[in-house]
Amino acid sequence: MSFSRITAFVAVEETDALEVMEALLSLIDSFIIKNIPVFDSDVTSIQNIEVVNAEEIRCEIRSDTA
């Protein structure tokens, strides 16, 4: 039997990190609820990363929700 490792990466503001981590853990839990065996999982956080064009992205998100 072969396996696949699926990796997702998101960069969010530090104030949102806990909420995003909890959502990712809930997503992993949902696989088990749907009878999809998860053989290994991990959710990690790295703080103080550099984000290119962070202010530009904030402005785009604000304009999309207005």
Side-chain angles (χ1 to χ4, degrees):
M1 178 182 280
S2 62
F3 297 91
S4 294
R5 179 176 304 275
I6 300 170
T7 305
F9 168 80
V10 295
V12 298
E13 294 192 48
E14 213 168 296
T15 55
D16 298 322
L18 182 59
E19 182 178 356
V20 172
M21 288 185 68
E22 289 173 355
L24 291 170
L25 290 168
S26 292
L27 175 65
I28 292 168
D29 289 345
S30 75
F31 298 143
I32 292 145
I33 292 168
K34 294 176 183 176
N35 293 321
I36 299 172
V38 175
F39 298 96
D40 187 22
S41 66
D42 188 23
V43 176
T44 60
S45 176
I46 301 169
Q47 297 177 346
N48 298 319
I49 63 167
E50 291 293 320
V51 176
V52 179
N53 299 327
E55 198 54 44
E56 181 180 328
I57 293 167
R58 281 188 191 104
C59 290
E60 287 178 16
I61 291 172
R62 285 185 200 123
S63 69
D64 286 345
T65 58

